[in-house]
Amino acid sequence: MKQTRYEQVANKIVTLIQNGALQEGDKIPSIRQLSRELGLSVNTIKEAYWRLEDKNYIAAVPQSGFYVKKQSVLGWDSTDKADAAQSRMLNPQEVNFCQVYAAFKEYGESQSKVNLGIAGLDSEFWPTEKMARFMGEAVRQPDVEALNYLMPPGYLPLRQQIARQGLAAGLNLSPEEIIVTNGCHEAVFLSLMALCKPGDTVVFESPIYFSLFHMLKQLDLRVIEIPSHDGEGISLKTLEFVLESQEVKAMYTISNFNNPMGFSMPSWKKKKLVRLLAGYDIPLIEDDVYGDIAFKDRPDTCKGQDKSGRVLYCSSFSKTIAPGLRIGWIAPGKAYDKILEIKTLMNICATSIEQIAVARFLKEGGYDRHLRRLRKKVGQAVRQMRQAVLAHFPKGTRVTDPDGGFLLWVELPHDVDTTLVYRQAMKKNILIAPGPLFTLKGKFSHCMRLNAGMWNPDIEKAVAMTGQLCQAQVPKQRDFPVCPTPQFQPPPDPRGEGRPAAFG
Amino acid sequence: MKQTRYEQVANKIVTLIQNGALQEGDKIPSIRQLSRELGLSVNTIKEAYWRLEDKNYIAAVPQSGFYVKKQSVLGWDSTDKADAAQSRMLNPQEVNFCQVYAAFKEYGESQSKVNLGIAGLDSEFWPTEKMARFMGEAVRQPDVEALNYLMPPGYLPLRQQIARQGLAAGLNLSPEEIIVTNGCHEAVFLSLMALCKPGDTVVFESPIYFSLFHMLKQLDLRVIEIPSHDGEGISLKTLEFVLESQEVKAMYTISNFNNPMGFSMPSWKKKKLVRLLAGYDIPLIEDDVYGDIAFKDRPDTCKGQDKSGRVLYCSSFSKTIAPGLRIGWIAPGKAYDKILEIKTLMNICATSIEQIAVARFLKEGGYDRHLRRLRKKVGQAVRQMRQAVLAHFPKGTRVTDPDGGFLLWVELPHDVDTTLVYRQAMKKNILIAPGPLFTLKGKFSHCMRLNAGMWNPDIEKAVAMTGQLCQAQVPKQRDFPVCPTPQFQPPPDPRGEGRPAAFG
C-alpha cells in the first residue's frame, strides 16, 4: 500500500530510532526546520510528529522542541494498522497458530540444555530446604488431614496469608474472596471458562504470553490484539475504539513486569483501564504472577482500583517459591461462585501438602525475607543477561530494562528473522522464544524473548552464540536509511563500537 | 398414562419383589396358572413375563418354570420408558439440576460430622506414615528437581509403575500411553473436553456419579441416560437403539464397583460394549477408580478389550492411597495428543512431590501389600455397614452386596422419599446422598447411596438414625399390593421380623 507523505516522514524517523541512530533524549528537528529541509508542508510534518507522539516515539517539550522518548521495545511501528480509525486488524479473529509454534512445542518437550525460551527462575533460587521441612511437617501434622481433600476455596490459613501478602500490592482482600488453584495458569483458564462461551471475543495487549493462545483456542474463543505502547501497556485509545465497535466478553492483561515486554502499567493507567472496562461492563482477567518480583517498589494492581468486582485477579507462587508446587490463587470478584464451581468440577481441589506447607512458609518461615533476597538475586541475573545481550547482539538491537520479573524482550534490526535464529539455535541446543510466538498477526519477526531468571557460564555462552546467529543475518555494510537532506543525517554512533543501544 | 394389562401384571410382580414378598429363588406361577387365576389371556401373561425377564427380575428355568432372579437394586422398573422402541426418554436432554442438588452442595460445604454422602475411605486406611517418608525424600532427592515442573505426560518412573500395576487389571499399557493428571476427576474432564464440543451428546448408564452432571453442564453437553440392568451395567440393547437413532459423541462408564450401584460389568459385556461402540466409531471414557478395591478378584477393564484406541481409561490413587495427593492418570488411546495438549494448557502439570512420592511407594514401598490389607479392611467396613442397614432400615429395603469398592446403593419401599430423609438427616448432622442426585430423570426417589468406606460407632448410630427416619415414612399397617386372586398371595416373610431383605 502506498504511504502518504507524512507516513514516509514518520517512518524514516522511526527507522533512525530503531537503528540506534537517534537515541533517548536526542532532540529532533523542529517542525519548521524539517519542513524547510524536506520541502514539505508544515502540516505534513506536524501530522508525522503527531503520529510519532501518539506512538510514543517522541515527546514535545514546551518551549524547547521534540525529543526522542525513552523507548519500550515494540514491534508495532508507525506503519501498523493499529490506528483505531483505519484498522482492519481490530476485528475478532480465530486462533490459528504460526508454524513456528509447532516446532517450539516439539523442542520444549525435548531436554534442551540451555533454555532461554521458558519463563522460569534458577532452581538455586528456590527455598528448597525450607519447603522440604514444611512439607514433611505438613504430612505429619495432627490437626489437618494432610492427605485428604482440602476443598475449594482452599485451606483457610493459606488464604489468610495470601490476603496478608496482598497488602504490599495495594490489595485489600479478605480470605473469603480468594480461591486456591493449581497455579496461576489454571486461575486464568478458570476465568476464561467462567466468563466466555465458544465464539466470544477476548481482548488483550499485544505481544502477549503465548500460552494464552492455547487456552483461547481450546475454548474456541476469538481474539482482538491491541497494541502496547511505550512501556505502559495497552493503548487505551485503541481499546476504547474496539469496545465501542465490537462485542467483547473479557479482557486479559499481565499488568506488572509483563510477559513478554517487561512493562508495568502505570497506576494512573490501571485506574483508567478499570474505569473504562467498567463503563462497558467488561471483566478484566489480571495476571499478576510477576508483580512480587519487583527490584524497586512493588507495583500496584488493577484489582486494587476495582470497586465493582469486575477484576479477576490471578497469581501464584510459581515464580516466588517454586513452580512444581502448583499453588496459585484467584480473587474473582463477582465471578466467585462460578469459579468455585468450575474449579471443583474440573479437578476437585489443589494438593493438600502444598497448600499447608506454603501457608506455613508464609506465616512463620521467613517468606518476606526470602522474597527480598530473591528480588536481589533475580535483579542481578537480569542485569547480567542484559549486559550480555548488549555485548553480543548486533548493532541496532534494543533490549528492555524491566524493573522486575525476569524476561527480556529484544528487538533486533529488521534484517534479522528470529524464527530462523530460533531454528539455528535449536541445533546448538539452545532454546529461545522468537517474537512471532507472541502474536497471531505474524509480527515481531525481528524480536525475541529471553529468560533472564538464571545466569551461569553456560547461559552466557548461549547468549553469545545467539548473538552471533543474529549477527550473521545483518548485512556487513549496513546502509542506514537516512532522511533525504544532508542536514538530517543520523548522528554518529556515540560509542562507535557497533554495539547495540540500550533502551529502558 | 394408562397401563396396558401386561404392564399391570408385570408391575404387580415387581412390587412383590420390591416389598421382599417375593425373594431371590422363589418360583412364580406358571404362565398358564396365572392366566387362569387372573382371567387374562396367555399372551398377556407371556408379554408380562417377557418384560420381567428382559428387566432381569425373573429367569425361565427350562422344564421347571420362572424364578425370581438375584436382584440388583434398580430404580428402573418395568413401567419405565426405557424400552428402546417406545421411549421418549432416549432423546438428548440438557443438564438441569434437581433442587435437591443445591441443598446437597450447600451441606457438602458445611462441616458435617457424619458424612455418609461422600465416596471416600476412612483416613485411618491411608498409608500416611509411608507417604510422609516418601514425600520428605522426594523433596530432598538430588536427581530430580522436585520443586520444578514435571511436565505432561508426567514423571516417567510413575508412569512405569502405573503400567506395571495395570497388568493386574488385564491392561497391557506402555508408560508412553499414560498421562498423569490431577486425579481421575480431571482425567474425565479432560476426556470430555477432548472429545466433545458444546451441544454434543454423551451417553452413560443410569444412575450415575452425580459430579458427571456438573462437568457436562459446564461443557454445555447434552445427555442420554441409559438404564442399568441386573448388576451388569448398561443395557446394551437400549444403547444400540440410541446409537442407531441419535448422534452420540462419547460414552462414559464406571465399569467396576460402579458408583453408585456397585456392579462390575462382566467381562463378556465389556467386550461386547467395546465392539458395539467401535462399530459406531464412538469413544468410551472408562472410569475405573474403584477397580483396585476388589474383595475377591480384580475385575478386568474395557480398555483391555480395546484394539482400536477408542477407550480413554481413567483412574487415580485417590481411593487406594489418599485423595489429597491429586494423582490420577489417563491412558487416552487415540486421543493422546489432544489430552496432552489440554492438560498442559489447563494447569501445566500435576505436582511434582506427589508424582515422585507415589512412584517410590509403588516401586519400593510395599504398595501391593498395602493394597491387600486395604481391600480386607474396606471389605469389612462394607459388610458392617450393610448389616447395619439390614438391621435398621424398614422392611422391604434392599441393599447391594458389592464385590469391591465401598458404596452401597439402598432401595427403600416406594413410600419412602429419600429427599425428605436427606433433609431430616441434615438436621441431625448426617449427610446421605439421595437417589435423585444420580439422574436427571427425577427417578430413584426411594433410593440412596451410602458411603461404606469407614466404620465406627458414630457411623453406626448415624445409620440407625437414618433407618429410623426412613421407617417413619412407611405406613404402620402396610397393605401389600397383591395380585387379584387368592392363589397368588405374597408368601409370608420367611424371617418374620420386619427386617429388609438382603439382595446381592
Side-chain angles (χ1 to χ4, degrees), chain A residues 144-194:
Chain A
V144 178
E145 289 179 332
L147 295 180
N148 206 346
Y149 296 120
L150 275 177
M151 292 297 284
Y155 189 49
L156 178 60
L158 175 59
R159 289 183 286 124
Q160 287 167 338
Q161 290 306 311
I162 290 169
R164 190 182 63 79
Q165 285 292 324
L167 294 175
L171 288 166
N172 193 10
L173 296 172
S174 87
E176 283 67 39
E177 295 173 74
I178 295 165
I179 298 170
V180 178
T181 62
N182 293 43
C184 183
H185 211 89
E186 188 179 273
V188 173
F189 191 68
L190 286 168
S191 301
L192 291 170
M193 286 197 95

Side-chain angles (χ1 to χ4, degrees), chain A residues 105 109 123 126 128-129 131-133 135 139-140 145 147-149 182 185-186 189 193 197-198 214-215 218-220 318-319 322-326 338 340-342 344-354, chain B residues 105 109 123 126 128-129 131-133 135 139-140 145 147-149 182 185-186 189 193 197-198 214-215 218-220 318-319 322-326 338 340-342 344-354:
Chain A
K105 194 181 160 219
E109 284 162 8
S123 60
W126 301 339
T128 306
E129 276 309 305
M131 286 312 295
R133 204 186 86 209
M135 286 201 189
V139 183
R140 284 183 183 84
E145 289 179 332
L147 295 180
N148 206 346
Y149 296 120
N182 293 43
H185 211 89
E186 188 179 273
F189 191 68
M193 286 197 95
K197 288 214 162 291
H214 292 256
M215 299 194 206
Q218 175 58 37
L219 297 174
D220 213 1
S318 294
K319 313 297 180 189
L325 302 170
R326 313 306 307 120
K338 188 75 185 150
L340 192 77
E341 186 187 333
I342 307 177
T344 312
L345 68 86
M346 188 191 265
N347 50 25
I348 305 185
C349 58
T351 45
S352 305
I353 305 294
E354 281 79 359
Chain B
K105 193 179 160 221
E109 285 162 8
S123 61
W126 302 338
T128 307
E129 276 309 304
M131 286 313 296
R133 204 186 86 210
M135 287 202 187
V139 184
R140 285 183 182 83
E145 288 179 333
L147 295 180
N148 207 346
Y149 295 121
N182 293 41
H185 211 89
E186 188 179 272
F189 191 68
M193 285 197 94
K197 286 211 164 293
H214 292 256
M215 300 193 204
Q218 175 59 35
L219 297 174
D220 213 3
S318 294
K319 314 294 180 190
L325 301 169
R326 312 306 307 122
K338 188 74 185 147
L340 193 77
E341 187 188 333
I342 307 177
T344 312
L345 69 84
M346 187 190 268
N347 50 25
I348 306 184
C349 57
T351 45
S352 304
I353 304 294
E354 280 80 358

Side-chain angles (χ1 to χ4, degrees), chain B residues 158-232:
Chain B
L158 175 59
R159 289 183 287 122
Q160 286 167 338
Q161 290 305 312
I162 290 169
R164 190 182 63 79
Q165 284 294 323
L167 294 174
L171 289 166
N172 193 10
L173 297 172
S174 87
E176 284 66 41
E177 296 173 75
I178 295 165
I179 298 170
V180 178
T181 61
N182 293 41
C184 183
H185 211 89
E186 188 179 272
V188 173
F189 191 68
L190 286 167
S191 302
L192 291 170
M193 285 197 94
L195 300 174
C196 305
K197 286 211 164 293
D200 284 350
T201 297
V202 177
V203 298
F204 46 84
E205 72 258 357
S206 172
I208 196 80
Y209 172 43
F210 48 77
S211 286
L212 180 70
F213 294 123
H214 292 256
M215 300 193 204
L216 295 167
K217 190 179 172 65
Q218 175 59 35
L219 297 174
D220 213 3
L221 300 175
R222 296 187 304 163
V223 308
I224 300 176
E225 297 185 38
I226 294 177
S228 279
H229 286 298
D230 194 28
E232 291 183 349

